[in-house]
Amino acid sequence: MKKVYKAHILYTKQQSCFEVLENGYVAVDADGCVTGVSADLASLDYKDAEVIDFGDCLLIPAMNDLHVHAPQYRNQGIAMDLELLPWLQNYTFPEEMKYVDPNYAERMYRRFVHDLWRFGTMRACVFATIHTASTRLLMRLFQEAGMGALVGKVAMNRNCPEGLSEKVEDMVQGYEELIADYNKPDALVRPIITPRFVPSCTSEMLRACGELAAKYQLPVQSHLSENKDEIAWVQTLEKESTCYGDAYNRYGLFGQTPTVMAHCVWTEGEELELMKRNGVMVAHCPTSNFNVSSGMAPIRQFLKEGLQVGLGSDISGGHDLNIFRMMVYAIQVSKMHYQQNHECSFLSLSEAFWIATKSAGSFFGRVGSFEPGYEFDALVIDDGDLNHDNYSLLHRLERYIYLGDDRQIKYRFCRGKKITEPKIGL
C-alpha cells in the first residue's frame, strides 16, 4: 500500500547543501520507493495512500556503513595502542578463528546486527571470516532483520594463522554455495567478493576472487593503502605491480565490477588516477585510521578529483559503530588537513551528511536520498529531549549528529519497510 509520511524532512541531493522541508511530505509506493517529496500534500499523488504524521520529528535518510568487520565486534575498544600489523596478529586473527564455531558466531552476530539497527545503519558492506557456515548465518540474520547488507566470506591463504588459511578451491566452493543461496536479483542481502588484502592472498587466490566477481558480476571490497608498512609489504609480494591498487587491478578486483576500498590513507599519484579511471569507491574510516595510527585520508582531495566516498566504522580498528559519529570525525580529520594546507578547505556538514547517505548509498543502488525513484531508507528522529527550542531545522540536525544517540531514533525504515528491533537472544 502506498504511504505518505509527514515530518520535517532533510536530505542532500548534492553535497553542497541540504534540502529542507518544514512539515513536508514524502510519498512511498508499495515497492518501498519514493514517488515524490513536497512541502504541499496536494502536489503528491496520494489518492488511497495512508498518511502518517510524525509531528515535530526529523525525517532523514538512514545511515550506510561501507566498511565493517562483523567478527571483530567483540574486540571493540581493545588494543587501541597498537599499529595495524601487530594488532591483526595479536588480537584480530585470534578472535576471528573462533567463528569456526557457528554457535559462537550466532551469539556475536546477533549482537552485531542489533547494534547496526540501534544506530540507524540500514545498509552495510560487511567482512565475515573464511568460514562458510558462519558467513551464511550472518547473511540469514540480516535477511531476517530486513536490513540490507553485502556480506563477504573473507579470502586468505598466506601470512595468517593456519586456522584462518583456506585453499583456493575451498574458498571458491564456499562462495559458490553462498551465491547459489543469496545472489538473487534485487535482494537486500547479497555476497560481495572479499580478499582480505593483498598480503593475505597469494596470486592464485586473488585471481580466483577476480574470476568469481566477473563470472557472477558481484561487487568487490578490500583494503587499500592504509599503512606505510603495509604498502611496502605489498611491493615485495606483488613485484610486477606498479602500485598497491594495481596489485588488485591485475586480477580484476579494482573496478571491473563495483568496488569499494577501505582507508586509502596514502593513495596518490598513479593509484589515485587508476581509482578515478575505474570508478573505485573509497570507504573513509576516520576512527580506525587514528586508532591504529595509519594517518589521515585526504577526503577533500578525493572529492575534488571526483571519487565517490562513503564512511565506514571499521569495527574493531574503529571503536564506534555509529555512522553519525563518523560524520563528526570525518569533519574533524578534514580540519586537521586544513591546518596543514589552507588551500584545501575542510568538510561542511552537508558534505559529511551526503557522504554518509547519498554517496555511500550509491554502492547499494538508488539509496540515500528522498528523490523520486530512491528506495525509502529512513530514520525518524525525535530530538525533543535535546532542547531544540528556537533552533532551525538544520541546527537541530547538526545537534543530533554531534550530541544525539540511538535513544532519539524513533523509527527505522529499509526499502520502505519499518524495521523492528532484531532479537539478540537465540
Side-chain angles (χ1 to χ4, degrees), residues 323-338:
I323 296 299
F324 290 102
R325 294 289 182 268
M326 295 309 110
M327 286 189 227
V328 174
Y329 300 137
I331 291 170
Q332 292 172 340
V333 168
S334 73
K335 288 180 176 179
M336 296 300 293
H337 267 293
Y338 175 72

Side-chain angles (χ1 to χ4, degrees), residues 323-358:
I323 296 299
F324 290 102
R325 294 289 182 268
M326 295 309 110
M327 286 189 227
V328 174
Y329 300 137
I331 291 170
Q332 292 172 340
V333 168
S334 73
K335 288 180 176 179
M336 296 300 293
H337 267 293
Y338 175 72
Q339 293 301 321
Q340 298 174 358
N341 178 8
H342 284 274
E343 296 178 2
C344 186
S345 61
F346 53 79
L347 294 177
S348 67
L349 185 69
S350 69
E351 288 173 318
F353 191 86
W354 176 84
I355 287 171
T357 56
K358 186 174 180 179

Side-chain angles (χ1 to χ4, degrees), residues 70 103 186 291:
N103 292 324
D186 298 324
N291 288 339

Side-chain angles (χ1 to χ4, degrees), residues 171-184:
M171 182 277 292
V172 171
Q173 180 181 343
Y175 259 108
E176 296 272 8
E177 293 174 6
L178 296 173
I179 289 165
D181 290 342
Y182 282 97
N183 194 29
K184 306 295 190 298

Side-chain angles (χ1 to χ4, degrees), residues 28 34 43 53 72 81 83 104 122 159 180 189 203 260 262 303:
V28 180
V34 175
S43 67
D53 189 348
Q72 296 176 25
D81 55 352
E83 291 191 14
Y104 182 82
M122 292 293 104
N159 296 318
V189 182
S203 297
V260 59
L303 293 179

